[in-house]
């Protein structure tokens, strides 16, 4: 599939997701479905936990305080949101920001995998425990895994998986912020040089329409 075809498929998936009712409770309490946003042909993808109140209102991932920190960390390695694709383990806000439940994670995982297969990133950074455990299919926690890249097959794609602490965890803990910053500094070298014949990057702010 060409980059244009993958982007069109992503738009079809977005329309499907907008009316998803697989999780009855979340479908009844959400304001919006937060599908994900950014460059539809990104080499670098981030997978967070779940939308919070701000994300639920705006329909975009990481637009609150943790999102501002994510923007800052990206800019420190010379990247912006337009360079990456950001999504969450769950597309709907758990009421009261409770933890995602196993059944909800399972319900949303088909969307998550399809988005990975359509964007085709080289590197996926999981932010925090939920995304890390899901994409590694293993209960090992983020404290043991952060900052260590792993080669993985996810869906039909070979990727470098790079577990990171969730930015929300670093908001009020300076030592954690320094660890996250040091781990972020390892991202550029994980991104392979673009191949000479690579198609031009098509940019798409999916959350914006
Ligand atoms: N935390 C997340 O995990 N995702 C968001 O989109 C916002 C905060």
């Amino acid at each position: 599939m060409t980059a244009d075809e993958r982007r069109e498929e992503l738009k079809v998936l977005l329309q499907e997701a907008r009316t998803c009712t697989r999780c009855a409770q979340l479908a009844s309490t959400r304001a919006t479905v937060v599908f994900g946003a950014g460059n539809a042909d990104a080499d670098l993808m981030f997978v967070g936990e779940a939308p919070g109140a701000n994300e639920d209102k705006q329909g975009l991932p990481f637009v609150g305080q943790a999102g501002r920190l994510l923007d800052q960390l990206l800019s420190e390695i010379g990247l912006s949101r337009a360079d990456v694709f950001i999504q969450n383990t769950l597309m709907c806000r758990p009421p009261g920001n409770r933890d995602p439940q196993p059944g909800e994670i399972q319900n949303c995982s088909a969307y998550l995998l399809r988005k990975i297969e359509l964007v085709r990133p080289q590197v996926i950074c999981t932010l925090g425990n939920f995304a890390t455990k899901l994409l590694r299919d293993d209960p090992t926690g983020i404290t043991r895994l952060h900052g260590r890249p792993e080669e993985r097959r996810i869906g039909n794609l070979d990727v470098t998986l790079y577990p990171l602490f969730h930015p929300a965890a670093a908001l009020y803990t300076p030592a954690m912020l320094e660890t996250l910053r040091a781990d972020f500094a390892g991202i550029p070298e994980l991104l392979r040089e673009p191949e000479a014949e690579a198609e031009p990057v098509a940019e798409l702010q999916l959350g914006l329409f």
Side-chain angles (χ1 to χ4, degrees):
M1 255 202 245
T2 66
D4 281 349
E5 285 166 346
R6 290 186 283 110
R7 186 179 49 193
E8 289 310 309
E9 278 289 309
L10 210 50
K11 287 189 202 171
V12 171
L13 191 67
L14 168 66
Q15 292 311 331
E16 186 187 326
R18 279 185 168 152
T19 55
C20 180
T21 53
R22 287 183 198 183
C23 305
Q25 186 194 27
L26 301 189
S28 71
T29 54
R30 73 182 179 221
T32 62
V33 172
V34 183
F35 182 76
N39 183 337
D41 197 28
D43 291 333
L44 178 61
M45 176 182 277
F46 290 87
V47 183
E49 184 176 315
N54 294 303
E55 290 77 21
D56 184 48
K57 265 193 214 109
Q58 295 185 41
L60 292 168
F62 282 95
V63 289
Q65 245 187 320
R68 281 192 290 280
L69 178 53
L70 182 58
D71 286 341
Q72 186 191 323
L73 291 163
L74 278 173
S75 80
E76 288 174 8
I77 56 169
L79 296 175
S80 75
R81 280 192 190 226
D83 300 311
V84 305
F85 189 89
I86 304 177
Q87 61 167 325
N88 283 302
T89 303
L90 292 191
M91 295 189 292
C92 298
R93 182 191 182 205
N97 296 344
R98 65 159 169 72
D99 282 350
Q101 293 172 355
E104 294 165 348
I105 294 171
Q106 178 64 31
N107 286 344
C108 220
S109 65
Y111 284 107
L112 179 82
L113 275 185
R114 191 75 188 124
K115 282 178 274 180
I116 291 171
E117 290 180 342
L118 290 171
V119 176
R120 300 189 69 77
Q122 295 172 2
V123 177
I124 299 178
C125 296
T126 51
L127 300 172
N129 268 317
F130 285 96
T132 302
K133 290 179 182 180
L134 176 67
L135 291 183
R136 296 184 74 254
D137 195 19
D138 180 281
T140 308
I142 189 66
T143 306
R144 280 187 51 196
L145 297 169
H146 74 91
R148 298 179 192 194
E150 301 172 18
E151 298 308 315
R152 292 259 164 179
R153 185 148 186 100
I154 296 179
N156 64 11
L157 197 65
D158 291 318
V159 294
T160 302
L161 194 78
Y162 192 50
L164 299 171
F165 282 118
H166 194 290
L171 280 175
Y172 306 106
T173 314
M176 183 79 86
L177 178 55
E178 283 321 302
T179 303
L180 190 53
R181 187 168 268 136
D183 289 347
F184 256 75
I187 291 176
E189 70 198 55
L190 300 177
L191 294 163
R192 294 187 295 271
E193 289 301 310
E195 290 159 29
E197 71 274 22
E199 294 173 50
V201 168
E203 223 176 75
L204 177 67
Q205 296 294 333
L206 267 170
L208 296 182
F209 59 88

